Amino acid sequence: STYPYAVQRPGPAWKSNLAPLVPQGVVCHSAVGYVNGLHDVLGAPFIRSSWHFSILYDGTVEQHYDTTFQCWHAQAANAFAVGIEHEGGFDPEDEPLTREQLEASVTLVRWLAAEHGFELVRHGDGRTLFEHNEFYPKPCPSGRIPWDEYPLPSEVVAIDLTPFGEDEDEVDVRPLDQGETIAALESV
């Protein structure tokens, strides 16, 4: 799928193995660098690394690959999860996401859940929200992802998926009714 609020910046075709992906969650990463470095790694012919989205400091979302193709971002998770890189995290390594990055990331993750029909679960059975360090022994994303800002089962709300800042005063937020899911609201 193509995220309607993303700038399309395709990565090299060979860096997506084109195996089908049915997204069942997301893996968040920290770029440990700046946007130019992200683009360099994505375009490098000798580095086998790719991901679906990059979220820049200013909240710009770049989409590199369709969400129905596997990328090489988190070892075993490549087969079931969409990869999202977040610019920054270089100095200091645990640099918080900017307000714009956080808003863009939360909006993207909510859209992915609605688009592909998975719940947003960070802990326990049925997890769908992951960090790279849970699949590979490295600090990525170094504590940069404030998971409490993402809706979890006990606090999931129905929300207009318009990105923050476009019609911020018109965002419709309400608790979900018993048994209602975000995916079901897409048809409303």
Side-chain angles (χ1 to χ4, degrees), residues 5-179:
Y5 303 109
V7 172
Q8 297 302 306
R9 187 180 176 95
W14 70 271
K15 283 198 168 191
S16 169
N17 62 11
L18 301 182
L21 173 65
V22 178
Q24 298 168 30
V26 300
V27 176
C28 286
H29 301 264
S30 179
V32 190
Y34 304 102
V35 65
N36 292 343
L38 280 167
H39 295 159
D40 289 348
V41 169
L42 192 60
F46 52 88
I47 299 175
R48 189 174 176 183
S49 181
S50 60
W51 53 93
H52 298 88
F53 297 96
S54 295
I55 301 180
L56 311 184
Y57 278 132
D58 67 2
T60 298
V61 177
E62 295 181 342
Q63 184 166 6
H64 310 295
Y65 297 95
D66 189 285
T67 61
T68 60
F69 295 137
Q70 289 184 30
C71 289
W72 303 322
H73 63 93
Q75 295 71 29
N78 295 345
F80 67 86
V82 170
I84 305 171
E85 283 281 359
H86 295 81
E87 180 182 19
F90 178 69
D91 187 22
E93 197 171 83
D94 63 349
E95 165 192 29
L97 300 180
T98 66
R99 178 180 184 276
E100 294 83 3
Q101 275 181 304
L102 178 59
E103 290 172 349
S105 185
V106 168
T107 301
L108 172 60
V109 169
R110 289 175 181 171
W111 177 84
L112 287 164
E115 179 74 7
H116 296 291
F118 59 85
E119 297 295 324
L120 298 174
V121 180
R122 176 69 182 131
H123 300 286
D125 292 339
R127 289 184 53 204
T128 61
L129 302 174
F130 301 94
E131 294 184 353
H132 189 193
N133 61 34
E134 295 167 37
F135 298 96
Y136 192 75
K138 62 188 301 182
C140 176
S142 305
R144 296 185 68 210
I145 308 301
W147 290 111
D148 58 334
E149 298 289 332
Y150 294 73
L152 302 174
S154 63
E155 57 192 75
V156 171
V157 295
I159 186 164
D160 175 355
L161 294 174
T162 303
F164 288 90
E166 283 195 11
D167 292 309
E168 202 166 302
D169 296 333
E170 298 177 25
V171 174
D172 174 27
V173 178
R174 65 173 174 77
L176 288 174
D177 295 329
Q178 182 68 25

